[in-house]
Amino acid sequence: MTERGGRTDDHRNAGFERLFGGDGLTVGTGFPLTDSRQSRPPVERELELAAHAEAVGFDGLWARDVPFRWPRFRDTGQTYDTFPWLSHVAAHTDDVALGTASVVLPIRHPAHVAKAAASVDRLSDGRLVLGVATGDRDPEYDAFGVDPDERGARFRESVATMRALWRGEFPERAGWWGELDGELDLVPKPTAGTLPLLPTGHSRQPVEWLGANGDGWLFYHLPEDTLETYLDDWRAAAGGKPFVMALRATLADDPSADPEPVHQGFRAGTEWFTDYLRRLESAGVDHVLVGVDTDGEAADPERALTRFAEDVLERV
């Protein structure tokens, strides 16, 4: 196993290469592509929009992990379970990267995650990049019988266990999830030896642990001055491993409109977003997970994706 640019060779599947294999910034988008407030996004329309996003130049399609609908949280993710959904999306797209943003490890058995993720990776010809997290919806821990104070330890143990299951034959391990005595092996194995893991937020870990154990860092939207500090800390901890940031982009009708803050991003014209992504690239951001929408009650997601691709991505 060798290192290239701070990244481990056996983690570089096709999805990782699509997002991080080049020199420039890449951009993906996330499900649901219709309306995040819907409890049941229309499947055929979601798949049409996924194929459209790939066709107009988005490099990644990201799905969230939300087991339960919690009305106080105001959204249900993309509704369908993460791994079956991404497998379905893989069958309707060609080579766009497929990402999770992010699988909540403390409430899932690591063997279930490892097998489901490796299955999607195999079925998609290596396109899966696995964002992982400790979660942020309090009632879910009670629902799964998890002590919230144990989230950090469970997260670390899950990462180590999944790596062992993917890389080793008949591993011997024990943890909160159970015990492997060396008599069992997990199949299938991922296409590249192990799957690329992107811890999300701090995942209740110091940045040094994230840099040593993750293949990149997926973070929420940050102000530019704060982003600079986080990137400095990440480079010190992880060398050349990639940094991913989420962004909500509401496209104003006026291409020259100045930015106005919205949750996790901005409402602005396409000219400003072009300059903004150029600044993110210069700062050292490798991939932006952008949720795109437009002004107005009759917002058209296909039009929004097309506008962002043609008026922003092609100019960055």
Side-chain angles (χ1 to χ4, degrees), residues 213-272:
N213 293 275
D215 302 300
W217 197 9
L218 172 56
F219 215 87
Y220 314 102
H221 181 260
L222 292 168
E224 289 182 73
D225 54 348
T226 306
L227 172 63
E228 183 177 352
T229 300
Y230 274 72
L231 286 169
D232 287 343
D233 291 344
W234 179 241
R235 292 187 192 104
K241 293 180 181 179
F243 186 92
V244 179
M245 191 180 77
L247 170 67
R248 169 58 59 183
T250 299
L251 302 180
D253 290 335
D254 180 1
S256 62
D258 291 332
E260 300 174 7
V262 298
H263 179 63
Q264 291 292 319
F266 302 97
R267 175 196 175 275
T270 53
E271 294 175 5
W272 184 87

Side-chain angles (χ1 to χ4, degrees), residues 30-61:
F31 295 104
L33 298 170
T34 48
D35 187 340
S36 63
R37 295 167 295 182
Q38 293 189 63
S39 60
R40 292 182 179 85
V43 172
E44 293 306 316
R45 182 59 173 152
E46 288 285 311
L47 294 173
E48 290 173 359
L49 290 169
H52 179 72
E54 178 180 37
V56 297
F58 286 86
D59 295 289
L61 294 168

Side-chain angles (χ1 to χ4, degrees), residues 14-316:
F16 192 92
E17 287 289 343
R18 176 69 183 262
L19 298 182
F20 309 119
D23 295 328
L25 179 75
T26 61
V27 177
T29 189
F31 295 104
L33 298 170
T34 48
D35 187 340
S36 63
R37 295 167 295 182
Q38 293 189 63
S39 60
R40 292 182 179 85
V43 172
E44 293 306 316
R45 182 59 173 152
E46 288 285 311
L47 294 173
E48 290 173 359
L49 290 169
H52 179 72
E54 178 180 37
V56 297
F58 286 86
D59 295 289
L61 294 168
W62 297 82
R64 296 159 64 195
D65 177 28
V66 182
F68 291 100
R69 178 174 177 266
W70 186 25
R72 283 178 53 188
F73 219 82
R74 294 178 297 178
D75 74 78
T76 54
Q78 83 281 342
T79 298
Y80 301 100
D81 187 73
T82 307
F83 295 115
W85 177 249
L86 287 179
S87 183
H88 196 45
V89 172
H92 290 80
T93 54
D94 295 320
D95 54 16
V96 66
L98 306 172
T100 62
S102 293
V103 174
V104 182
L105 294 184
I107 61 175
R108 288 179 176 261
H109 194 294
H112 288 159
V113 177
K115 187 175 183 73
S119 298
V120 174
D121 185 61
R122 281 286 173 184
L123 292 170
S124 67
D125 294 325
R127 290 194 271 154
L128 184 65
V129 176
L130 200 61
V132 289
T134 51
D136 56 8
R137 302 192 181 207
D138 295 338
E140 289 184 348
Y141 305 111
D142 289 338
F144 288 97
V146 174
D147 183 347
D149 293 336
E150 296 179 357
R151 281 176 286 177
R154 281 178 171 247
F155 182 86
R156 293 191 299 273
E157 177 62 28
S158 291
V159 168
T161 300
M162 291 190 301
R163 295 284 199 208
L165 290 167
W166 289 328
R167 283 177 168 158
E169 293 186 355
F170 305 99
E172 296 183 34
R173 295 191 62 83
W176 59 265
W177 44 270
E179 182 178 356
L180 291 169
D181 61 5
E183 295 292 326
L184 299 174
D185 185 30
L186 182 126
V187 290
K189 293 290 191 288
T191 58
T194 185
L195 277 166
L197 294 178
L198 306 183
T200 304
H202 286 285
S203 296
R204 296 180 175 266
Q205 314 300 326
V207 68
E208 292 78 13
W209 187 95
L210 301 174
N213 293 275
D215 302 300
W217 197 9
L218 172 56
F219 215 87
Y220 314 102
H221 181 260
L222 292 168
E224 289 182 73
D225 54 348
T226 306
L227 172 63
E228 183 177 352
T229 300
Y230 274 72
L231 286 169
D232 287 343
D233 291 344
W234 179 241
R235 292 187 192 104
K241 293 180 181 179
F243 186 92
V244 179
M245 191 180 77
L247 170 67
R248 169 58 59 183
T250 299
L251 302 180
D253 290 335
D254 180 1
S256 62
D258 291 332
E260 300 174 7
V262 298
H263 179 63
Q264 291 292 319
F266 302 97
R267 175 196 175 275
T270 53
E271 294 175 5
W272 184 87
F273 276 115
T274 300
D275 290 337
Y276 180 58
L277 290 189
R278 287 172 178 163
R279 294 198 302 272
L280 294 181
E281 181 177 20
S282 297
V285 175
D286 297 280
H287 181 74
V288 177
L289 196 180
V290 59
V292 186
D293 55 31
T294 56
D295 281 343
E297 296 179 0
D300 181 343
E302 186 167 330
R303 175 174 175 266
L305 291 167
T306 301
R307 281 187 64 202
F308 197 87
E310 293 181 350
D311 297 342
V312 178
L313 297 187
E314 293 184 5
R315 300 179 183 180
V316 174

